[in-house]
């Protein structure tokens, strides 16, 4: 039987599918003492770590599992797995690309409309009976805005294609791509030419804190920031200051620096719309992601090529 370390909760169906493939250790439910005791006895049983993109696999854990063959990520981000260490230890790493692209892009559009049209407040306004006493303050128009996308990978491109129906689209990244959107070599230059800046790049040392005070000031007091990538790409302290001082108009966020903890400054700001990292969280996409996690584990067990490796065995 394959021993699988499960590092975070999954859907019932994914958990059931994992359980059919081996002995599953629910690592996230063990405290430090239990983890150490378990490792002392069983470290060399573990062949698979199953984890979320936002959790990854700590290097200290990966290097304590001598027979580990696969880190199967239920997500597209691999920023929390040290790929060099994985390669060095002969550990394969897989993700669930493509199947979540549409949902993440859809949520980005939803956040833009929610933020500019103030939908969370509109909903409260009706429920709390405030409508009986007057009208909601006016929102801001979405159509015709200039949209800037930081990172035109699969998700960024899907966001761009949707936003093209609303207004002009530009993007920044490491290289220009053969797309009908204007390219900017850096995020500050993109922000200067954008009304809405959407962060869709992969998290990496190169993009850590990329959206800093200078980029936010380039976006300016009428500009909006959307983040569906990773909290680490945005300097959250700089963002909170810019929001508090009205140096940008608002921010809609699905991801944060220290999930699931969200800072008081972001929670209490009247300029934010906040979601709990739900961009890929639909029944359809989570089911497709689960299928890919399982397909990778099955391929490993069968000694077949892995369907979606970031690091191949
Ligand atoms: C998930 C993600 O929320 O794809 C990613 O990298 O962060 C999200 O899709 C997460 O991985 C769920 O486990």
């Amino acid at each position: 039987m394959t021993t699988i370390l499960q590092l975070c909760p999954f859907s019932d169906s994914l958990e059931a599918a994992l359980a059919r493939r081996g002995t599953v250790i629910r690592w996230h439910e063990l405290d430090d003492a239990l983890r150490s005791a378990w490792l002392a006895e069983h470290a060399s049983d573990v062949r698979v770590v199953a984890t979320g993109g936002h959790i990854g696999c700590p290097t200290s854990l990966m290097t304590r599992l001598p027979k580990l063959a696969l880190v199967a990520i239920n997500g597209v981000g691999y920023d929390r797995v040290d790929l060099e260490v994985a390669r060095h230890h002969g550990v394969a790493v897989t993700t669930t690309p493509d199947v979540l692209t549409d949902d993440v892009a859809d949520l980005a559009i939803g956040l833009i409309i929610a933020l500019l049209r103030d939908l969370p407040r509109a909903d409260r306004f009706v429920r709390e009976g405030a409508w009986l006493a007057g009208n909601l303050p006016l929102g801001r128009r979405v159509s015709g805005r200039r949209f800037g996308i930081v990172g035109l990978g699969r998700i960024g491109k899907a966001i761009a294609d949707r936003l093209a129906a609303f207004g002009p689209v530009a993007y920044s990244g490491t290289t220009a791509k053969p797309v009908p959107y204007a390219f900017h070599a850096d995020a500050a230059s993109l922000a200067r030419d954008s009304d809405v800046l959407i962060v869709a790049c992969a998290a990496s040392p190169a993009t850590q804190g990329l959206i800093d005070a200078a980029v936010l000031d380039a976006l300016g007091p009428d500009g909006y920031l959307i983040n569906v990538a990773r909290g680490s790409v945005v300097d959250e302290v700089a963002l909170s200051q810019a929001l508090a001082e009205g140096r940008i108009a608002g921010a809609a966020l699905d991801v944060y620096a220290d999930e699931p903890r969200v800072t008081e400054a972001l929670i209490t700001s009247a300029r934010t719309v906040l979601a709990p990292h739900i961009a890929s969280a639909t029944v359809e996409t989570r089911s497709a992601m689960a299928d890919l996690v399982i397909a990778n584990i099955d391929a490993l067990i069968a000694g077949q090529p892995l369907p979606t490796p970031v690091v191949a065995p």
Side-chain angles (χ1 to χ4, degrees):
M1 268 297 236
T2 305
T3 296
I4 301 170
L5 271 198
Q6 178 185 337
L7 301 199
C8 61
F10 295 128
S11 65
D12 291 349
S13 61
L14 177 51
E15 295 199 354
L18 289 174
R20 285 195 295 276
R21 279 151 181 90
T23 306
V24 178
I25 307 302
R26 299 174 65 81
W27 197 244
H28 55 292
E29 291 175 355
L30 305 184
D31 63 21
D32 285 349
L34 283 171
R35 287 177 178 186
S36 298
W38 190 87
L39 281 176
E41 290 254 317
H42 303 285
S44 49
D45 297 345
V46 179
R47 277 196 84 201
V48 175
V49 164
T51 186
H54 58 301
I55 303 275
C57 183
T59 301
S60 56
L61 179 61
M62 194 159 43
T63 53
R64 281 198 68 182
L65 305 171
K67 300 276 169 56
L68 181 65
L70 171 64
V71 175
I73 300 173
N74 183 41
V76 77
Y78 49 84
D79 48 302
R80 289 185 172 248
V81 181
D82 189 324
L83 300 187
E84 276 316 306
V85 171
R87 268 185 210 105
H88 183 72
H89 286 82
V91 176
V93 180
T94 57
T95 57
T96 61
D98 298 318
V99 294
L100 48 63
T101 301
D102 283 337
D103 277 357
V104 179
D106 291 351
L107 190 85
I109 308 304
L111 287 176
I112 293 168
I113 299 176
L115 180 64
L116 274 72
R117 302 301 302 270
D118 217 352
L119 291 184
R121 202 194 316 178
D123 179 87
R124 287 196 302 275
F125 195 79
V126 175
R127 285 174 204 280
E128 291 165 3
W131 195 12
L132 298 167
N135 290 325
L136 191 70
L138 299 180
R140 300 304 302 268
R141 174 182 286 187
V142 176
S143 290
R145 297 264 163 199
R146 298 167 304 158
F147 299 98
I149 300 173
V150 179
L152 206 77
R154 282 177 283 229
I155 292 171
K157 172 75 166 44
I159 295 171
D161 293 346
R162 283 159 174 73
L163 285 175
F166 289 87
V169 176
Y171 69 102
S172 67
T174 44
T175 48
K177 309 209 164 174
V179 291
Y181 309 121
F183 173 67
H184 290 253
D186 67 90
S189 149
L190 178 69
R192 207 165 297 119
D193 277 3
S194 301
D195 302 310
V196 183
L197 192 69
I198 301 107
V199 184
C201 59
S204 71
T207 60
Q208 168 100 26
L210 176 69
I211 309 301
D212 57 10
V215 173
L216 296 170
D217 284 332
L219 186 59
D222 294 322
Y224 297 89
L225 181 78
I226 313 294
N227 190 2
V228 291
R230 280 287 186 269
S232 63
V233 180
V234 174
D235 178 339
E236 230 172 56
V237 173
L239 172 63
S240 300
Q241 272 167 7
L243 288 165
E245 293 162 12
R247 286 171 22 239
I248 67 166
L253 310 171
D254 187 46
V255 288
Y256 307 87
D258 184 25
E259 296 174 15
R261 285 159 290 275
V262 178
T263 63
E264 256 330 271
L266 291 175
I267 287 177
T268 55
S269 171
R271 298 180 190 272
T272 54
V273 169
L274 307 175
H277 200 146
I278 54 166
S280 70
T282 67
V283 170
E284 295 81 359
T285 284
R286 284 293 163 85
S287 161
M289 289 163 67
D291 288 349
L292 266 181
V293 169
I294 292 300
N296 281 295
I297 293 173
D298 283 349
L300 177 91
I301 293 169
Q304 302 287 325
L306 305 182
T308 50
V310 182
V311 174

